Amino acid sequence: MAAYEEETARPRMLNLLIGVTLMTIVIALWYLLDYYYLRESTRDVTWYPPAQGCVLLKGGCHASLGVDSSVAFALQEAHDDSGTLTFEARVQGRSPQSVTVQFIGRDMNVQSRRLTLQSKGDGLFVGEGNLGLCSAHVDAWRAQVVVLSDHGLKGSWFDFDSQQPGGGTMGREDQRCL
């Protein structure tokens, strides 16, 4: 009985493709590791998307800030005629040093204002005040929340419309600013 030995060497092109694939996987893993764990920039903000389906004016919104931290942000209107707004951010999973909020009109180019929230301890940051932007022509807003922690600047954004609880748009019938 004769035994046949076949040489089944892989083609050179297949070896090249396997090498390129392995290099791509290593580069992708390095990028993910850098993005979620190693990046500690104090100049550039690493942005994370908010959780789906949140309504900022009805209880607040939540966003994950990487693998092991998160921020919850709520915006509440005063019940008197002062028009004062209360901003509350709760950061979990990191030791936050400061939290800033910037409100930007989504539908038009309006001047925005950055507010620094005061720490109340245990990851809670609170601020009050008027934003100084009259919303007579701006109904669509974006709140950009940026957290400075031991791992750099991380942030998320929360979109909302400037509606009064009764259904009227804030800023159209009165002179309050949002």
Side-chain angles (χ1 to χ4, degrees):
M1 179 167 180
Y4 293 101
E5 286 190 34
E6 287 185 41
E7 284 191 32
T8 56
R10 287 183 265 186
R12 285 185 140 163
M13 184 59 93
L14 182 59
N15 287 336
L16 178 68
L17 290 175
I18 289 172
V20 168
T21 302
L22 290 175
M23 296 256 313
T24 304
I25 290 171
V26 167
I27 291 171
L29 289 174
W30 175 80
Y31 174 76
L32 288 173
L33 180 69
D34 177 60
Y35 189 80
Y36 285 110
Y37 290 109
L38 303 177
R39 187 172 295 181
E40 295 182 16
S41 173
T42 57
R43 289 184 297 136
D44 299 326
V45 178
T46 304
W47 294 102
Y48 295 91
Q52 295 292 322
C54 72
V55 179
L56 187 60
L57 296 175
K58 293 182 181 176
C61 293
H62 178 269
S64 176
L65 299 178
V67 176
D68 56 353
S69 62
S70 65
V71 63
F73 182 69
L75 171 67
Q76 299 169 353
E77 235 186 315
H79 296 291
D80 56 5
D81 290 335
S82 68
T84 302
L85 300 170
T86 302
F87 318 106
E88 181 177 302
R90 182 171 297 279
V91 181
Q92 294 179 346
R94 295 278 183 201
S95 51
Q97 298 167 5
S98 68
V99 174
T100 58
V101 181
Q102 184 173 9
F103 289 88
I104 301 169
R106 286 184 287 153
D107 291 341
M108 61 176 36
N109 188 12
V110 294
Q111 200 174 26
S112 62
R113 183 171 173 192
R114 186 177 308 229
L115 304 167
T116 302
L117 304 183
Q118 301 300 316
S119 176
K120 299 295 181 184
D122 198 31
L124 178 66
F125 291 81
V126 177
E128 289 185 349
N130 292 335
L131 298 178
L133 302 172
C134 292
S135 60
H137 300 291
V138 179
D139 295 325
W141 292 95
R142 172 166 284 175
Q144 293 181 333
V145 179
V146 177
V147 177
L148 174 62
S149 71
D150 55 345
H151 284 268
L153 290 172
K154 299 188 183 250
S156 188
W157 63 92
F158 305 103
D159 294 338
F160 66 99
D161 295 326
S162 55
Q163 298 275 325
Q164 287 184 5
T169 304
M170 291 183 353
R172 298 228 183 240
E173 292 85 17
D174 57 15
Q175 294 300 316
R176 289 183 299 161
C177 293
L178 173 71

